């Protein structure tokens, strides 16, 4: 089971009153709130162009003042702040409401009722309704205050019964020690009917407590169950936990209607739900009901809903094999996740714009036109993205790394290894996706240098207000709601900056298509494919990428095969005499079958001998009409030409010394070598001049100017599949 942690702050173990909450505060927060002095100074902020608002808490009733003091303490512990102007406005609104004598607690009204009160006060003062910006800027503040107090006052009941789950402020919620979505809140209030909402909360709580579910998976599950499945129940008029599937009917009709209903649904953009999304909804609903069916009696007791006890074994069996939408479907071309070397080089060359101050700009050529692109002012984003490119780690693994993630490799001379371009250290990262997967890789000196720069930056950031502060727990630190320095950088922040950078640079690949490099997982696909392209064994790539099985790594092997094909087709093929090959390049690739018949790959070209036939010519490829080559092999061809010329000279000298005569033009060995020389010279001339950007066939076939050599591609014989 993954290690669990308790959040930094949270409610007391028992229900409390404003006075009890206030009495438990440290002495500094029990004094009169002076927002010009500690500990209150760092709890508020104002927009740069405006001075902080003056907060007059004395106008509030004593219980409401105690509630504000309690909330400010929770902000201090969690490292958060509040806008001083918004808080001052809500203090004035609350004072006016409390003057009526009906309300003495911020929890006495709902958030919407507080917003309505603020609207009335604004209208009374200005004789007009408030603009949308007024409500937008102030709603979040009262919602945060209200949620904190609601949580505190509900502390006497089980934590999972709260309609809002916030692990940052409720230490009772069991989450992993390193949680990518630690700042995510779950709101169950809108789920209807109530029996479904409470069951979902109970199911999630059991999953978190046992480690079967992680906090990162819950937002998706909440959408599948609380949005899609709940909407299906409403559309079908189903109002009981057994879904109307009693012992005599079974769950099968309901399952089929759900599948049909999901296929008719549309996203917010108007598109049908993707088959993989439908499959995830089906799987989540089935898993939820399997859990509830297995614990029907317990659910009836814990949820005070006796109808859950009516579930049968049929409720645990929704789908038959192959019925999940998207299962076994083609997920699209794997190369769509690969960024070619040229595009990746351009991305890396401009990544410094991420860290460039916002008041500075760089001149970048975009679509042939020089443009001034302003910096995005985030050095952390620049270094995190560079590490993603260099290591292929998931972005969450990089952003949650410990402050000191590097460790020496026993027996390795780091200085010599760095000089030779080899591994210089071992990098630890937080692997939270796959249980049991590796959590460290070997890295080079470039990664070590990036980490060292980020350590200096993070240390300076953490000690900006307290020179004696210790090193922060994370290498990359969140910019907002992190005055305590205990939260890691948010992936959403990085993705937002990369989206801006991608739009500004307009980087395209070899086909002219825009490179969507703000999808940071593409860096991982690219790294894995590059490792395979470099000839790194599958098991080594598996270990480096943190895969628990070779099957996961083989996804990138598919990308490798498609990369080979694209590279093969990029160069036109020539015959042995410099004429273009009259055959479709795709047919040539199918004939050669690089991934199946490696015996047909030659050092200086490819063999076009049909698969059923066998070669009996030995190594006389340059005199064979089934030989073809292209520009990729130009250096090998030049080397072969020089070696053949040198060989002829050596053999002629040996023949002269042994016989006293020269090799005649009819000498069979010399005739064969001269034919090879003629073929090599014709090929090289065509490739160097660019007049024949194609492939050349063997020199043993007489030239037939103007007469294409017919090539017939027959049906592929049986038994030549993968693994033959």
């Amino acid at each position: 089971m993954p290690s669990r942690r308790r959040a930094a702050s949270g409610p007391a173990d028992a229900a409390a009153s404003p006075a009890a909450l206030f009495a438990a505060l440290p002495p500094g927060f029990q004094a009169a709130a002076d927002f010009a002095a500690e500990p209150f100074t760092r709890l508020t902020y104002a927009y740069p162009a405006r001075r902080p608002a003056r907060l007059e808490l004395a106008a509030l009733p004593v219980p409401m003042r105690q509630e504000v003091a309690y909330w400010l303490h929770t902000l201090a512990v969690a490292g958060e702040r509040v806008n001083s102007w918004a808080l001052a406005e809500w203090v004035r609104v609350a004072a006016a409401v409390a003057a009526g004598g009906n309300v003495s607690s911020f929890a006495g009204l709902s958030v919407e009722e507080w917003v309505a009160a603020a609207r009335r006060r604004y209208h009374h003062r200005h004789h007009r309704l408030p603009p949308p910006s007024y409500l937008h800027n102030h709603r979040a503040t009262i919602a945060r205050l209200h949620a904190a107090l609601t949580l505190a006052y509900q502390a006497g009941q089980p934590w999972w019964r709260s309609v809002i789950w916030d692990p940052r402020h409720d230490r009772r919620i069991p989450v992993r020690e390193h949680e990518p979505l630690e700042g995510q809140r779950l709101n169950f209030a809108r789920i209807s009917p109530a029996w479904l909402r409470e069951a979902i909360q109970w199911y999630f709580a059991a999953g978190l407590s046992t480690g079967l579910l992680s906090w990162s998976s819950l937002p998706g599950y909440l959408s599948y169950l609380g949005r899609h499945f709940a909407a299906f129940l409403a559309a079908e008029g189903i109002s009981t936990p057994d879904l109307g599937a009693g012992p005599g009917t079974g769950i099968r009709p309901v399952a089929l209607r759900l599948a049909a209903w999901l296929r008719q649904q549309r996203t917010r953009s108007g598109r049908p739900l993707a088959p993989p999304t439908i499959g995830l909804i089906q799987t989540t609903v089935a898993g939820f009901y399997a859990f509830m069916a297995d614990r029907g009696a317990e659910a009836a007791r814990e949820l005070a809903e006796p109808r859950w006890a009516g579930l049968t074994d049929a409720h645990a069996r929704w789908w038959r094999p192959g019925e999940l939408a998207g299962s076994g479907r083609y997920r699209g071309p794997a190369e769509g996740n690969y960024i070619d070397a040229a595009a990746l080089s351009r991305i890396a060359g401009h990544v410094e714009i991420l860290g460039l101050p916002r008041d500075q700009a760089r001149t970048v050529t975009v679509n042939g036109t020089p443009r001034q692109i302003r910096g995005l002012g985030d050095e952390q984003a620049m270094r995190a993205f560079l590490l993603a490119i260099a290591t292929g780690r998931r972005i969450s693994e990089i952003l949650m790394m410990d402050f000191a993630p590097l460790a020496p490799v026993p027996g390795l001379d780091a200085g010599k290894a760095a000089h030779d371009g080899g591994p210089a250290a071992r990098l630890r990262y937080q692997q939270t996706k796959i249980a049991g997967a590796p959590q460290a890789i070997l890295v080079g000196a470039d990664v070590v240098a990036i980490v060292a720069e980020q350590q200096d930056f993070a240390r300076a950031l953490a000690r900006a207000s307290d020179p004696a502060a210790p090193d922060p727990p994370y290498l990359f630190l969140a910019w907002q709601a992190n005055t305590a320095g205990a939260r890691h950088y948010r992936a959403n922040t990085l993705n937002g900056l990369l989206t801006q950078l991608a739009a500004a640079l307009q980087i395209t690949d070899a086909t002219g298509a825009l490179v969507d490099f703000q999808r940071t997982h593409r860096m991982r696909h690219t790294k894995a494919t590059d490792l395979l392209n470099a000839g790194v064994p599958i098991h080594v790539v598996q270990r480096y990428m943190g895969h628990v099985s070779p099957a996961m790594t083989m996804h990138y092997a598919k990308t490798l095969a498609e990369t080979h094909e694209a590279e093969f087709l990029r160069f036109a093929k020539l015959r042995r005499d410099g004429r273009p090959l009259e055959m479709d390049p795709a047919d040539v690739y199918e004939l050669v079958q690089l991934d199946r018949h490696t015996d047909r790959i030659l050092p200086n070209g490819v063999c076009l001998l049909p698969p059923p036939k066998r070669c009996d010519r030995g190594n006389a490829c340059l005199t064979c009409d089934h030989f073809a080559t292209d520009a990729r092999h130009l250096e090998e061809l030049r080397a072969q030409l020089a070696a053949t010329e040198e060989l002829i000279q050596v053999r002629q000298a040996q023949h002269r010394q042994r016989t006293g005569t020269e090799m005649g033009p009819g000498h069979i060995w010399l005739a064969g070598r001269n034919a090879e020389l003629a073929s090599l010279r014709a090929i090289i001339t065509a490739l160097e001049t660019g007049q024949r950007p194609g492939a050349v066939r063997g020199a043993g076939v007489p030239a037939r100017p103007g007469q294409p050599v017919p090539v017939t591609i027959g049906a592929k014989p049986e038994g030549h599949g993968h693994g033959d």
Side-chain angles (χ1 to χ4, degrees):
M1 182 185 301
S3 59
R4 306 272 149 175
R5 66 170 176 82
R6 292 166 68 88
S9 62
D13 292 333
S17 64
L21 293 176
F22 185 78
L25 296 179
F29 284 88
Q30 292 180 336
D34 180 2
F35 291 92
E38 293 293 341
F40 300 97
T41 304
R42 286 180 289 176
L43 298 181
T44 61
Y45 68 94
Y47 295 110
R50 308 170 68 181
R51 292 180 301 172
R54 183 177 179 81
L55 295 171
E56 298 290 351
L57 299 183
L60 293 174
V62 172
M64 300 183 84
R65 271 184 272 167
Q66 293 171 336
E67 289 177 336
V68 172
Y70 168 77
W71 182 49
L72 292 175
H73 177 254
T74 66
L75 297 183
V77 174
E80 299 176 356
R81 298 187 301 166
V82 62
N83 182 276
S84 61
W85 289 93
L87 180 57
E89 179 67 9
W90 284 115
V91 168
R92 291 189 287 267
V93 172
V97 172
N102 296 325
V103 177
S104 60
S105 169
F106 280 100
L109 298 178
S110 68
V111 172
E112 293 305 320
E113 288 173 329
W114 280 115
V115 170
R119 186 184 292 109
R120 288 193 299 270
R121 181 178 182 277
Y122 188 97
H123 185 272
H124 179 74
R125 294 181 59 200
H126 301 282
H127 305 290
R128 59 184 174 87
L129 292 175
S133 60
Y134 172 85
L135 299 179
H136 175 77
N137 293 335
H138 292 75
R139 181 188 294 271
T141 300
I142 192 62
R144 293 170 64 194
L145 172 57
H146 192 273
L149 294 175
T150 301
L151 186 63
Y153 294 147
Q154 292 179 348
Q157 67 180 7
W159 64 265
W160 58 267
R161 286 193 175 274
S162 176
V163 295
I164 295 178
W165 291 7
D166 186 353
R168 194 186 302 167
H169 298 99
D170 189 348
R171 61 176 177 265
R172 299 171 300 171
I173 300 177
V175 297
R176 293 175 293 185
E177 183 178 2
H178 300 286
E179 176 55 61
L181 297 183
E182 49 85 23
Q184 179 82 46
R185 298 167 71 234
L186 296 184
N187 190 340
F188 299 88
R190 296 182 180 180
I191 300 178
S192 181
W195 57 261
L196 177 64
R197 178 183 67 250
E198 294 175 355
I200 293 174
Q201 292 178 244
W202 190 57
Y203 170 53
F204 285 2
L208 288 177
S209 299
T210 59
L212 296 178
L213 295 178
S214 68
W215 183 260
S216 297
S217 65
L218 294 192
Y221 283 19
L222 183 60
S223 175
Y224 302 150
L225 294 172
R227 177 186 170 194
H228 294 286
F229 185 57
F232 166 74
L233 296 180
E236 290 284 317
I238 298 175
S239 59
T240 61
D242 66 5
L243 309 178
T249 58
I251 199 67
R252 186 67 176 167
V254 179
L256 294 178
R257 293 202 303 273
L258 173 61
W261 184 85
L262 289 172
R263 288 194 294 269
Q264 297 173 357
Q265 300 311 297
R266 296 292 183 270
T267 64
R268 291 185 175 90
S269 62
R271 297 179 180 179
L273 292 179
T277 301
I278 295 176
L280 288 173
I281 297 172
Q282 291 177 288
T283 302
T284 304
V285 171
F288 167 64
Y289 257 86
F291 176 87
M292 299 303 293
D294 188 48
R295 299 162 177 82
E298 183 183 356
R301 182 179 64 255
E302 291 290 331
L303 303 176
E305 175 53 80
R307 293 180 295 178
W308 282 113
L311 299 188
T312 66
D313 290 342
H315 287 86
R317 299 189 298 272
W318 281 65
W319 314 105
R320 295 171 182 170
E323 289 186 341
L324 293 178
S327 59
R329 290 174 60 94
Y330 175 61
R331 299 298 182 88
E335 68 270 17
N337 286 320
Y338 177 76
I339 301 178
D340 63 61
L344 191 61
S345 176
R346 290 194 295 274
I347 294 170
H350 297 307
V351 73
E352 62 181 8
I353 295 175
L354 286 171
L356 193 68
R358 292 182 178 273
D359 58 352
Q360 299 181 24
R362 285 288 166 84
T363 301
V364 177
T365 301
V366 179
N367 295 329
T369 304
R371 287 181 51 188
Q372 288 287 312
I373 299 181
R374 289 192 172 276
L376 297 176
D378 196 329
E379 293 184 36
Q380 296 194 105
M382 174 185 68
R383 298 189 188 99
F385 191 52
L386 285 173
L387 288 179
I389 295 175
T391 66
R393 296 303 94 196
R394 300 178 183 90
I395 202 64
S396 62
E397 296 171 350
I398 292 174
L399 298 181
M400 293 194 302
M401 283 195 303
D402 295 333
F403 177 80
L406 296 174
V409 180
L412 178 69
D413 185 341
K416 183 177 184 301
H419 181 270
D420 297 338
R426 188 182 302 278
L427 178 73
R428 300 188 314 277
Y429 52 90
Q430 306 297 350
Q431 203 290 116
T432 61
K433 184 175 181 180
I434 305 173
Q439 300 196 74
I441 56 172
L442 296 176
V443 294
D446 55 341
V447 171
V448 173
I450 295 172
V451 169
E453 288 183 8
Q454 179 58 28
Q455 285 176 323
D456 292 340
F457 181 89
R459 187 180 289 112
L461 191 65
R463 297 177 181 175
S465 57
D466 182 7
D471 291 337
Y474 291 107
L475 181 62
F476 294 93
L477 303 178
W479 286 113
Q480 297 179 338
N482 194 30
T483 59
R487 297 180 56 216
H488 61 79
Y489 194 102
R490 295 293 300 274
N492 287 343
T493 304
L494 176 60
N495 291 337
L497 293 172
L498 291 176
T499 298
Q500 296 181 50
L501 184 62
L505 295 179
Q506 294 288 293
I507 292 177
T508 58
D509 58 20
T511 67
L514 288 176
V515 177
D516 186 17
F517 62 85
Q518 67 266 34
R519 288 166 46 202
T520 52
H521 205 70
R522 299 188 82 188
M523 302 302 114
R524 182 170 173 81
H525 283 259
T526 300
K527 184 67 175 181
T529 304
D530 285 344
L531 289 173
L532 290 169
N533 281 339
V536 179
I538 289 289
H539 71 280
V540 177
V541 178
Q542 174 190 341
R543 172 63 178 81
Y544 185 89
M545 301 308 296
H547 296 154
V548 295
S549 70
M552 300 174 68
T553 311
M554 289 305 295
H555 171 75
Y556 303 103
K558 180 177 184 298
T559 302
L560 172 66
E562 292 170 347
T563 303
H564 277 171
E565 181 177 2
E567 182 70 10
F568 182 88
L569 298 179
R570 190 161 67 92
F571 295 95
K573 305 298 181 282
L574 300 181
R575 295 178 180 277
R576 56 92 181 165
D577 51 9
R579 292 184 295 128
L581 184 66
E582 293 86 2
M583 185 186 296
D584 186 278
D587 290 337
V588 177
Y589 183 78
E590 180 67 16
L591 180 65
V592 176
Q593 300 179 85
L594 291 178
D595 61 336
R596 305 175 192 178
H597 297 283
T598 55
D599 58 320
R600 304 200 184 273
I601 304 174
L602 307 175
N604 56 354
V606 296
C607 176
L608 301 182
L609 187 70
K613 297 185 178 180
R614 300 186 64 84
C615 175
D616 57 0
R617 299 179 59 89
N619 61 354
C621 296
L622 283 168
T623 61
C624 178
D625 195 35
H626 293 294
F627 171 77
T629 190
D630 56 34
R632 294 173 299 162
H633 304 287
L634 186 55
E635 291 304 317
E636 290 90 342
L637 294 167
R638 287 171 176 159
Q640 188 175 2
L641 175 63
T644 303
E645 290 175 335
E646 182 180 357
L647 177 62
I648 290 176
Q649 293 177 358
V650 171
R651 290 295 178 85
Q652 284 181 329
Q654 292 174 344
H655 185 275
R656 188 184 310 111
Q657 182 179 5
R658 186 170 59 252
T659 65
T661 61
E662 299 289 344
M663 283 186 183
H667 193 287
I668 187 171
W669 182 89
L670 183 59
R673 302 296 78 71
N674 285 333
E676 292 174 359
L677 287 178
S679 179
L680 286 167
R681 288 165 180 158
I683 294 170
I684 294 172
T685 300
L687 294 177
E688 289 179 338
T689 60
Q691 297 174 356
R692 293 289 189 269
V696 179
R697 286 206 175 191
V701 178
R704 287 161 281 195
Q707 298 181 17
V709 177
V711 178
T712 302
I713 305 293
K716 185 160 49 176
E718 298 294 334
H720 282 270
H722 288 279
D724 289 355

